[in-house]
Amino acid sequence: MPELDPATTALLTVECQNGVVGEESALPELAKEAQASGMLGRVAALVDAARGAGVQVLHAVAERRPDGLGANSNARLFRAAAKLPVRQLSGSAAVQVAPPIVVAEQDLVVRRLHGLSPMAGTDLDALLRNLGVRTLVVTGVSSNIAIPNTVFDAVNLGYRVVVPSDAIAGVPAACTAEVIRNSLALVATITTAADLLGQWVPAPVS
């Protein structure tokens, strides 16, 4: 994988929130896979390393107003999510980024009330452009829906996208490998968390 320039690269975590991958998840099967596979730990390590190397970190969170205003209802997924016992309500613990990932003061948190991708209908694209970002490293969940949507949207907007294959997760576990092989590898650079960690050494103190 070519070396990434920290000045023009950003790391994005997608839906790594308590209500999705945490202990009180609305989607326990997905949360179990994210934790058991080591994906969450690798994302946390990447977040820390990215900051140390001068790479901007952003966290994309999906949430919903208590009254549901502005939320989608045009697909079975959205209607089912509205009925789950754990809801991703704005301001609740469910929409906080899940441990062991740590949100630092310099990180940016992008929240969305609708749709399937943090690139659509949010400030994410404008923030990245204002930061001078040209390469986006995408991590998180799920490889079934949100990750492919994020990657395709970012590519359509002109970004170079990098996906560490062991820092995304979905259900069943085999789905992730299939999505990477048959879809994401066609449009993004596929790498591993270890490869990125090898690049992201702390910036020298001046």
Side-chain angles (χ1 to χ4, degrees):
M1 184 185 70
E3 187 172 348
L4 304 181
D5 179 3
T8 59
T9 301
L11 171 67
L12 177 69
T13 74
V14 178
E15 295 184 30
C16 291
Q17 57 201 76
N18 289 322
V20 177
V21 296
E23 292 183 1
E24 302 298 325
S25 172
L27 304 166
E29 186 179 0
L30 177 58
K32 181 180 178 181
E33 174 60 24
Q35 295 168 17
S37 68
M39 185 277 289
L40 269 182
R42 284 187 285 271
V43 173
L46 286 170
V47 165
D48 292 343
R51 286 197 208 100
V55 173
Q56 179 65 52
V57 175
L58 302 96
H59 307 277
V61 174
E63 58 183 51
R64 184 183 180 94
R65 285 171 52 111
D67 57 15
L69 282 177
N72 290 72
S73 60
N74 58 334
R76 188 177 70 175
L77 173 67
F78 301 124
R79 295 190 293 271
K83 299 175 183 177
L84 291 172
V86 177
R87 300 175 64 199
Q88 316 299 322
L89 297 181
S90 301
S92 71
V95 299
Q96 300 303 310
V97 175
I101 301 168
V102 175
V103 180
E105 185 177 357
Q106 66 267 38
D107 295 358
L108 295 172
V109 179
V110 179
R111 303 183 182 280
R112 79 175 196 271
L113 291 171
H114 64 88
L116 299 170
S117 165
M119 295 295 298
T122 71
D123 294 332
L124 181 55
D125 180 40
L127 292 173
L128 293 173
R129 293 186 189 280
N130 287 345
L131 291 163
V133 171
R134 300 303 307 143
T135 300
L136 186 64
V137 179
V138 176
T139 66
V141 294
S142 73
S143 57
N144 307 76
I145 296 175
I147 296 298
N149 270 272
T150 304
V151 171
F152 295 145
D153 284 349
V155 170
N156 284 331
L157 288 168
Y159 294 96
R160 175 191 177 197
V161 179
V162 175
V163 178
S165 60
D166 52 356
I168 64 172
V171 289
C175 173
T176 300
E178 291 299 319
V179 169
I180 290 171
R181 181 183 305 112
N182 296 308
S183 296
L184 301 186
L186 303 178
V187 297
T189 299
I190 306 302
T191 186
T192 65
D195 285 343
L196 288 173
L197 292 171
Q199 281 202 31
W200 288 345
V201 296
V205 178
S206 56

